[in-house]
Amino acid sequence: MTRINLTVDGAKVADDVEPRMLLVQYLREKLGKTGTVIGCDTSNCGACTVHLDGTSVKSCNVLAVQADGATVTTIEGLAATYDGGELHPVQESFRECHGLQCGFCTPGMIMQSVALLNDNPTPTEQEIRVGLEGNLCRCTGYHNIVKAVQHASGQASEMHA
Amino acid sequence: MIPTAFDYVAPTTVEDALSALATHGDDAKILAGGQSLLPVLRMRLNAPEVVIDLGKIESLRGVRDDGDAIVIGAMTPHSVVGSDPLVKEHALLIHRAVEHLADEQIRHRGTFGGALAHADPAGDLGAPALALGSSFVIAGPGGTRTVPADEFFIDLFETAIGDDEILTEVRIPKHTGWGAHYEKFVRVAHQWPIVAVAATVKGSGGSIEDVAIGLTNMGSTPLRARAAEDALRGGQDLAAAAELADQDTNPPSDLNGESSYRRHLAKVLTRRAVTAAAGG
Ligand SMILES: Cc1cc2nc3c(=O)[nH]c(=O)nc-3n(C[C@H](O)[C@H](O)[C@H](O)COP(=O)(O)OP(=O)(O)OC[C@H]3O[C@@H](n4cnc5c(N)ncnc54)[C@H](O)[C@@H]3O)c2cc1C
Ligand code: FES
Ligand code: FES
């Protein structure tokens, strides 16, 4: 067992974990943060995306022990990082633009979209598509997801579904 | 799946990491960004008893100017390499290759040294590092040694780094003002190339004074397209020179393409990469 100390969604946590425990397992199984989901076994889908010290990572491809000393934000704590309401503006945009169908990819899509907008507040459609290339969606065909990110960035969408 | 159980150490200096390696020998595995190692452990293709995490060694991170070369620390994440102004100015080819490596989340964690130490023949950084004549600084129990790029890559997933050694940094001779392009042919986004060509060109207005061309996935290691380079330096036109791009290569056949198809790709992609690198 290895002792880890980190901040998750604003709360300080400390735990003894097996070194082989993945960050996503730690979040879901130890902290009960099941908002972050697991969609694949190959680190391709991006459903498990969270922010680790401010940048997006696939939490199925990080060990919990590697997050020792770090600050983690999951979809469950995202709204609280923005003090304007119950939802983060990107969450609101996904709702407004119908950026989801089954919703399984959505936690990861939203976390990656927030990271993308932090780096580039007014991305072009192409930059949005490239920025989300590590996130797979089986339902939407991506158009409304791209629209949601454009909407969140305050840019009128050129596409109307 | 999750990995089999292992012990974990996170040293804060290279010396401590080396002594952990010396203690645990063959049973230990180095962890950099984990973006290749963790998938391997999760699929249980490897089951080390001890994992030595380099993530807490600050001295291995960052890019610095060192006279006629720039030096990239082994633990510098791809995303930092990709946005570093020194890399863009003096090793544009690396900047271009990193832009199209994996996806943003992977680039935030995966490291420059980890990708090169992993030595996947389909990895995107080997061919650019080779084309730029990089040298690899490797620390071991007996001190530090420097290995030139053409001796670093030995075989599939095999480099000159010994079991008791750590790659600490990569020195890249400055190619200031050289144009560069990385032409990557993929089946789906955010994946390894079927074939890719890394080209960097010195010259202006489409004329080529000097050129270096690296090939990804045209053999068990990254390769130089020497014959095509020589033809271009000798003034041959690009169409003819690009036809030589597959000389002395040994491309694999797999689900993504036959060997002969890869040879064809190497020629076409060389033409495109050199054209773009020369500003055409
Ligand atoms: C979904 C996905 C897509 C990807 N797509 C691409 C792609 O398109 N192109 C591409 O090039 N790569 C791709 N990668 C791999 C990515 O580039 C990895 O970051 C890289 O190959 C390994 O770097 P790392 O820092 O994560 O190393 P790790 O995974 O931590 O280590 C890799 C290996 O190198 C050894 N090692 C690491 N650092 C050192 C060191 N300093 N000294 C000695 N040995 C060391 C480790 O022991 C291990 O065997 C992808 C990965 C994933 C998961
Ligand atoms: S669950 Fe992490 S990338 Fe698919
Ligand atoms: S909404 Fe179903 S996977 Fe994206």
Side-chain angles (χ1 to χ4, degrees):
Chain A
M1 290 286 181
T2 300
R3 187 77 179 165
I4 56 171
N5 288 280
L6 61 164
T7 303
V8 180
D9 292 338
K12 287 204 183 325
V13 290
D15 265 303
D16 290 316
V17 297
E18 264 196 283
R20 64 169 163 169
M21 181 176 250
L22 305 172
L23 179 59
V24 70
Q25 276 180 288
Y26 177 69
L27 295 171
R28 291 174 58 84
E29 294 169 19
K30 279 266 192 176
L31 302 183
K33 293 199 174 274
T34 50
T36 302
V37 295
I38 302 174
C40 74
D41 219 0
T42 51
S43 298
N44 278 287
C45 78
C48 64
T49 300
V50 301
H51 295 179
L52 182 63
D53 284 337
T55 58
S56 56
V57 303
K58 293 180 172 177
S59 61
C60 70
N61 219 16
V62 177
L63 297 171
V65 288
Q66 288 178 289
D68 179 37
T71 296
V72 175
T73 304
T74 77
I75 188 73
E76 296 192 17
L78 179 67
T81 64
Y82 173 80
D83 54 10
E86 265 177 50
L87 293 179
H88 185 281
V90 176
Q91 291 174 308
E92 226 160 63
S93 294
F94 270 68
R95 185 189 62 195
E96 286 310 306
C97 299
H98 196 57
L100 61 145
Q101 288 175 25
C102 81
F104 199 81
C105 69
T106 314
M109 282 289 179
I110 290 178
M111 294 312 286
Q112 181 52 24
S113 299
V114 172
L116 160 69
L117 291 169
N118 284 345
D119 282 349
N120 180 0
T122 52
T124 63
E125 182 192 332
Q126 183 60 20
E127 285 167 343
I128 294 169
R129 290 184 183 275
V130 170
L132 294 177
E133 73 182 332
N135 293 71
L136 304 180
C137 174
R138 301 184 62 149
C139 304
T140 64
Y142 302 98
H143 286 289
N144 284 1
I145 291 174
V146 175
K147 265 176 69 176
V149 180
Q150 288 176 317
H151 185 267
S153 71
Q155 304 180 91
S157 166
E158 292 144 30
M159 295 180 294
H160 291 284
Chain B
M1 258 186 346
I2 58 167
T4 51
F6 52 77
D7 288 332
Y8 172 82
V9 285
T12 53
T13 64
V14 173
E15 291 68 36
D16 288 351
L18 287 172
S19 62
L21 263 185
T23 310
H24 302 289
D26 271 1
D27 301 331
K29 198 85 189 127
I30 287 175
L31 173 66
Q35 300 305 291
S36 292
L37 184 61
L38 293 181
V40 165
L41 298 188
R42 279 157 44 207
M43 286 183 270
R44 304 206 172 180
L45 299 173
N46 198 327
E49 280 172 26
V50 181
V51 166
I52 303 171
D53 183 359
L54 304 183
K56 296 204 159 139
I57 309 182
E58 278 310 316
S59 64
L60 294 179
R61 238 179 268 271
V63 182
R64 64 172 206 273
D65 192 317
D66 192 22
D68 55 3
I70 60 164
V71 180
I72 303 181
M75 288 296 292
T76 313
H78 300 313
S79 56
V80 172
V81 173
S83 60
D84 188 273
L86 284 173
V87 173
K88 195 168 182 189
E89 186 179 353
H90 303 298
L92 185 62
L93 186 54
I94 299 286
H95 173 85
R96 293 272 182 259
V98 159
E99 267 178 331
H100 300 290
L101 183 155
D103 57 53
E104 208 170 287
Q105 292 99 313
I106 305 285
R107 288 194 297 270
H108 285 147
R109 291 294 295 171
T111 66
F112 194 70
L116 291 164
H118 189 55
D120 183 337
D124 285 310
L125 297 179
L130 182 66
L132 292 172
S134 312
S135 46
F136 294 76
V137 182
I138 299 171
T144 292
R145 64 196 179 102
T146 300
V147 176
D150 48 10
E151 294 168 19
F152 180 76
F153 298 103
I154 292 176
D155 204 348
L156 220 63
F157 301 107
E158 192 185 337
T159 68
I161 308 170
D163 283 344
D164 53 356
E165 294 183 314
I166 290 172
L167 175 67
T168 57
E169 55 191 32
V170 181
R171 297 179 61 85
I172 304 173
K174 283 184 182 170
H175 284 66
T176 319
W178 288 51
H181 186 77
Y182 189 68
E183 184 75 20
K184 178 170 171 174
F185 195 81
V186 284
R187 195 163 47 83
V188 291
H190 87 93
Q191 282 295 356
W192 292 264
I194 298 172
V195 170
V197 175
T200 188
V201 170
K202 184 183 181 188
S204 56
S207 80
I208 296 177
E209 278 172 51
D210 202 356
V211 60
I213 302 169
L215 307 172
T216 306
N217 221 6
M218 285 296 287
S220 59
T221 64
L223 297 169
R224 283 285 281 269
R226 298 268 183 204
E229 290 177 7
D230 289 342
L232 286 169
R233 275 189 219 101
Q236 268 203 43
D237 70 67
L238 176 57
E243 284 300 307
L244 306 175
D246 69 326
Q247 268 194 19
D248 301 320
T249 65
N250 185 17
S253 288
D254 58 28
L255 279 176
N256 287 314
E258 293 292 314
S259 177
S260 57
Y261 177 60
R262 285 196 161 88
R263 288 182 182 277
H264 167 74
L265 279 178
K267 297 172 188 179
V268 175
L269 303 181
T270 294
R271 184 157 41 74
R272 290 186 193 160
V274 173
T275 302

